[in-house]
Amino acid sequence: MVEIELDGQKVEVTEGSMVMHAAEKAGTYIPHFCYHKKLSIAANCRMCLVDVEKAPKPMPACATPVTQGMIVRTKTDKAIQAQKSVMEFLLINHPLDCPICDQGGECQLQDLAVGYGASSSRYGEEKRVVLHKDVGPLISMEEMTRCIHCTRCVRFGQEVAGVMELGMIHRGEHSEITTVTGDTVDSELSGNMIDICPVGALTSKPFRYSARTWELSRRKSVSPHDSAGANLIVQVKNHRVMRVVPFENEEVNECWIADRDRFSYEALNSDERLTQPMLKQGGEWREVDWQTALEYVANGLRCVRNDHGAGAIGALVSPHSTLEELYLAGALVRGLGSDNIDYRLRNAEFPAASGIRWLGTSIASLSTLQRVLVIGSNLRKDHPLFAQRIRQAARHGCVVSAINSVVHDWAMPVAHTLVQPSAAWEQALASVAAAIAQEKGVQAPDGAAQVDESALAIARSLLAGERKAILLGNAAAHHGHASRLLVLAQWIAEQVGATVGYLTEAANTVGAQYAKALPLQGGQNAGQMLAGGLKAALLLNTEPAFDSAAGEAACQALAKTDMVVTLSPFKTNMAFSDVLLPIAPFTETSGSFVNAEGRLQSFHAVVRPLAETRPAWKVLRVLANLLSIPGFDFETSQDVLAQATHTPAGGVPSVSPAELNNAQAMLPPAATPVVGEPAVAAIYQLDGLVRRAPSLQLTADGRLAQEGVAA
């Protein structure tokens, strides 16, 4: 540790730290533009000049290393005059368009100009003009004349997103930030460039000219998409979601969010929203009131139970639904006497429940791994925030290995890749296990395959290092031999001292297991129900055509059932549904998600429900009351959560670590071969919200997925 004196205060920081780090620790603000705590130091802007004793001139706090006994003053005339001089230079070419700038009210340059800017400019020459660029549907670069060349966006692309999509060309007053070749910015994390831009050069294209920052209310929420559980600030005006930005949580998403977390809000205001209950009569849809719709559903379920038995009723539920909704859906189905409920819509294998499958480690620990093996995942697109953390680990020496059916560009160095068709993943993993057994001189697991060069390289990598993880991706979880893959991964992890876990697909995949949203006593699984095993189906927040492994075949099977009830925020499943019930998306209801590491995060509604939309937990509660099912007397979603998590009065709901368990008993060799590829959603096809966000669908990834669907 090194001790310095900062404005008369003694501060201890680690050796190699900069003066800026000492100021942060001491709680002293030093004005800056180019410095960002998550990015490398560039020292471009010079706004952070401070007075260092015995230094002949002011020094940049962000790039001046601390030394023992150093004396730094941030508020002397020398420091403040230097900062004012820098501000004068920064404002020379900056346009006077604050009244029309989208960054107005939350602009660092605007804020600091009040304290360090002059009342008039001494610059009388012609100002420079930088032409705008079109970099895609998400980021607006219409006013690049505002750019102060801090290069935060450039460094973010290189260091966090892993793709240098922006760069600086030319020199002096001709310098400009550009894509160089006129390409679009296509990173799945690109929206973070908007947040870190200290001026109005990079702004949100979907939000552009929609509202002023001081008109917006800010409310905390949690992302309903992938399993990171990113913390959000949802900004609202007139009961309408206008913008979504990250809420910093170092243990979960740091200060970043993925583009689908940021821009999927567009779907909330789309014309596809379902705003009134609807019944299909004589092949025609008509709007009805809630009482009529719910009584129709209740009577229909009674008739099916009387005519075909309770086993003919089932629920297909989305793992993007809240814990409360999933718990009540299971309680409703079981209250009718059925055990047919499942969230595993894309799975090809449905093993009996034995513990809750989870990440196997904390999300934060992914940043410090030294060795990692990822099986069956397009990591960068399936889990952008997890990929970002592993990318940071790779920058510090982590050796990344992969087993996949194709080579994906993860925007990070991947040392070893074993490419095999998905049907051969079990054999590939068994080959790695055999290589480890060979290297350690131990007995290989049953069914171990012949060792090849790629498997040996992965094995040797995993045997070295200290902090290690084996991560099974979405394709591995949905694989026809998923249990066998887990057994082999578990054996390898035990031999090399690694953790083993699933990246988990959705916001509440772990929560769905905890809420018991899967058959427990021999009920039909999702595959059986989607194949036509029901007479009455409840579809909670899901579209089988897009969200299931069966796809269109599921729609054809559901069309033959006596009654299909869709609970959705959108007009969907209309070809085979008999009832549509408008339920609230995550912004219009309270609820909880459990992310991949088992962290339970609750949130409140940020806007009131649209028109006749109602929270799904309330709809399920009233439906159960109409069916005279006992135990549905909840007044709030917190009451539901307390019962679902067995929380005593006054306690804090949580998922017990003891229930998170990836252990899998050894299995006999699979009797049937794997047929077809695992069902995995593209990045902007994951759920109903992202599918209906126009700007996301216009991105390169969105267009590619649509072409794949069309093909």
Side-chain angles (χ1 to χ4, degrees):
M1 298 294 285
V2 174
E3 184 180 79
I4 72 167
E5 182 182 309
L6 183 74
D7 290 340
Q9 177 183 353
K10 299 290 186 183
V11 184
E12 269 197 343
V13 290
T14 56
E15 189 174 356
S17 298
M18 302 297 160
V19 171
M20 185 70 82
H21 301 140
E24 286 180 341
K25 186 172 182 181
T28 300
Y29 178 72
I30 298 176
H32 60 273
F33 294 112
C34 68
Y35 172 77
H36 190 281
K37 63 183 179 181
K38 293 292 183 181
L39 303 177
S40 63
I41 292 168
N44 287 338
C45 71
R46 318 307 280 187
M47 191 66 206
C48 63
L49 292 174
V50 293
D51 185 1
V52 179
E53 192 170 272
K54 297 182 181 179
K57 58 184 179 180
M59 305 293 288
C62 69
T64 303
V66 295
T67 57
Q68 184 64 37
M70 175 186 278
I71 299 175
V72 180
R73 299 181 181 90
T74 67
K75 296 177 176 62
T76 62
D77 289 343
K78 182 179 179 180
I80 292 174
Q81 189 55 49
Q83 292 163 355
K84 286 184 174 181
S85 297
V86 170
M87 177 60 72
E88 185 174 20
F89 277 112
L90 289 174
L91 293 177
I92 278 177
N93 283 306
H94 197 79
L96 294 172
D97 61 352
C98 294
I100 64 159
C101 178
D102 255 8
Q103 197 87 345
E106 55 185 4
C107 172
Q108 281 182 259
L109 184 65
Q110 192 178 52
D111 293 341
L112 292 178
V114 173
Y116 299 90
S119 58
S120 62
S121 175
R122 293 185 290 170
Y123 185 80
E125 288 74 23
E126 187 176 334
K127 288 177 178 276
R128 75 176 193 143
V129 174
V130 180
L131 294 179
H132 70 271
K133 286 93 177 167
D134 184 0
V135 294
L138 304 181
I139 299 176
S140 172
M141 296 179 73
E142 290 291 321
E143 289 90 11
M144 289 306 293
T145 306
R146 299 170 183 160
C147 179
I148 60 170
H149 305 148
C150 70
T151 68
R152 280 185 179 184
C153 56
V154 177
R155 285 175 285 143
F156 173 84
Q158 284 181 293
E159 300 163 15
V160 180
V163 184
M164 186 178 174
E165 295 177 295
L166 295 177
M168 184 183 288
I169 60 172
H170 307 314
R171 299 184 67 182
E173 69 174 5
H174 302 293
S175 299
E176 59 180 284
I177 300 292
T178 178
T179 57
V180 181
T181 58
D183 295 332
T184 53
V185 174
D186 298 319
S187 166
E188 61 285 348
L189 298 171
S190 65
N192 294 291
M193 294 180 185
I194 299 166
D195 293 335
I196 63 176
C197 180
V199 294
L202 304 181
T203 54
S204 169
K205 191 171 279 189
F207 174 72
R208 187 174 166 82
Y209 298 145
S210 296
R212 285 304 201 173
T213 180
W214 54 83
E215 299 172 332
L216 302 172
S217 300
R218 289 160 174 79
R219 294 152 191 180
K220 291 198 289 186
S221 191
V222 179
S223 169
H225 305 303
D226 64 37
S227 58
N231 290 201
L232 311 175
I233 293 289
V234 181
Q235 300 185 348
V236 176
K237 178 183 177 182
N238 296 333
H239 298 286
R240 182 183 174 97
V241 175
M242 304 300 292
R243 185 166 62 168
V244 175
V245 295
F247 178 77
E248 185 171 351
N249 185 333
E250 196 63 29
E251 296 300 311
V252 180
N253 57 296
E254 300 176 270
C255 56
W256 316 120
I257 55 174
D259 286 351
R260 64 182 168 201
D261 302 327
R262 183 184 302 273
F263 297 107
S264 64
Y265 75 88
E266 287 186 294
L268 302 170
N269 307 318
S270 74
D271 294 336
E272 292 187 58
R273 283 294 301 270
L274 178 64
T275 57
Q276 185 85 14
M278 299 180 74
L279 293 181
K280 186 189 288 182
Q281 295 185 334
E284 296 292 327
W285 284 100
R286 70 181 186 92
E287 294 183 345
V288 297
D289 59 75
W290 271 104
Q291 188 69 24
T292 302
L294 291 174
E295 286 181 355
Y296 181 91
V297 173
N299 290 333
L301 292 175
R302 286 194 198 96
C303 290
V304 169
R305 183 173 60 178
N306 294 336
D307 295 345
H308 304 283
I313 300 172
L316 294 158
V317 296
S318 168
H320 300 278
S321 302
T322 67
L323 181 65
E324 293 83 351
E325 293 163 1
L326 294 167
Y327 174 78
L328 290 184
L332 172 64
V333 170
R334 294 186 176 106
L336 289 168
S338 173
D339 192 38
N340 303 333
I341 180 171
D342 210 342
Y343 75 93
R344 301 168 296 180
L345 306 179
R346 292 192 175 101
N347 284 33
E349 184 191 57
F350 302 92
S354 58
I356 296 175
R357 304 300 186 226
W358 68 300
L359 186 62
T361 184
S362 68
I363 291 174
S365 70
L366 297 179
S367 302
T368 61
L369 291 174
Q370 294 181 350
R371 297 290 187 276
V372 60
L373 170 61
V374 181
I375 305 157
S377 174
N378 184 358
L379 183 65
R380 177 182 166 191
K381 302 300 182 182
D382 293 346
H383 302 91
L385 294 175
F386 292 168
Q388 183 273 132
R389 284 194 179 267
I390 294 174
R391 190 174 295 120
Q392 303 316 307
R395 284 171 56 84
H396 291 93
C398 177
V399 179
V400 181
S401 304
I403 296 177
N404 253 323
S405 52
V406 296
V407 177
H408 295 293
D409 177 12
W410 289 353
M412 70 178 83
V414 179
H416 313 291
T417 303
L418 208 169
V419 180
Q420 292 284 358
S422 60
W425 286 353
E426 183 182 345
Q427 182 181 1
L429 203 54
S431 181
V432 173
I436 289 171
Q438 176 181 301
E439 290 290 301
K440 290 188 67 177
V442 298
Q443 178 67 39
D446 292 342
Q450 184 177 358
V451 176
D452 63 20
E453 191 173 329
S454 297
L456 186 60
I458 293 174
R460 286 173 175 168
S461 167
L462 291 173
L463 286 166
E466 294 179 0
R467 298 179 297 277
K468 314 169 197 177
I470 298 174
L471 303 173
L472 295 141
N474 295 348
H478 303 160
H479 196 272
H481 291 170
S483 296
R484 293 286 303 168
L485 293 176
L486 177 57
V487 166
L488 289 166
Q490 182 179 287
W491 186 91
I492 292 170
E494 289 171 354
Q495 294 298 318
V496 303
T499 62
V500 61
Y502 285 98
L503 292 166
T504 71
E505 179 184 46
N508 218 14
T509 299
V510 175
Q513 298 172 76
Y514 185 75
K516 303 294 189 289
L518 68 172
L520 301 176
Q521 304 293 331
Q524 294 184 45
N525 59 48
Q528 294 166 327
M529 288 189 275
L530 290 166
L534 300 176
K535 291 297 182 180
L538 297 174
L539 305 183
L540 176 60
N541 209 20
T542 186
E543 302 168 82
F546 306 104
D547 295 331
S548 73
E552 286 299 326
C555 299
Q556 296 170 14
L558 288 168
K560 298 175 183 176
T561 61
D562 292 352
M563 185 174 72
V564 176
V565 181
T566 292
L567 294 85
S568 173
F570 303 104
K571 297 174 183 175
T572 186
N573 300 339
M574 299 182 80
F576 54 82
S577 292
D578 299 287
V579 186
L580 298 181
L581 300 178
I583 60 169
F586 79 107
T587 52
E588 299 169 19
T589 184
S590 55
S592 308
F593 293 132
V594 184
N595 70 3
E597 68 177 357
R599 182 187 297 260
L600 190 150
Q601 301 182 106
S602 297
F603 54 91
H604 297 288
V606 299
V607 293
R608 63 189 178 201
L610 180 66
E612 290 299 307
T613 298
R614 296 290 181 268
W617 73 267
K618 288 187 177 181
V619 175
L620 293 167
R621 181 199 64 188
V622 174
L623 185 56
N625 292 337
L626 290 173
L627 289 164
S628 301
I629 299 174
F632 278 79
D633 53 353
F634 307 104
E635 293 295 326
T636 66
S637 63
Q638 286 76 18
D639 294 340
V640 183
L641 179 62
Q643 180 156 322
T645 56
H646 314 292
T647 305
V652 178
S654 64
V655 175
S656 168
E659 298 183 71
L660 302 173
N661 182 10
N662 291 317
Q664 175 70 56
M666 292 299 288
L667 301 170
T672 57
V674 174
V675 178
E677 291 292 313
V680 178
I683 182 171
Y684 298 136
Q685 294 290 320
L686 180 63
D687 58 67
L689 280 176
V690 295
R691 285 194 291 268
R692 290 173 174 83
S695 295
L696 292 178
Q697 297 308 316
L698 290 173
T699 61
D701 283 320
R703 294 195 307 272
L704 189 64
Q706 290 172 31
E707 291 167 7
V709 170

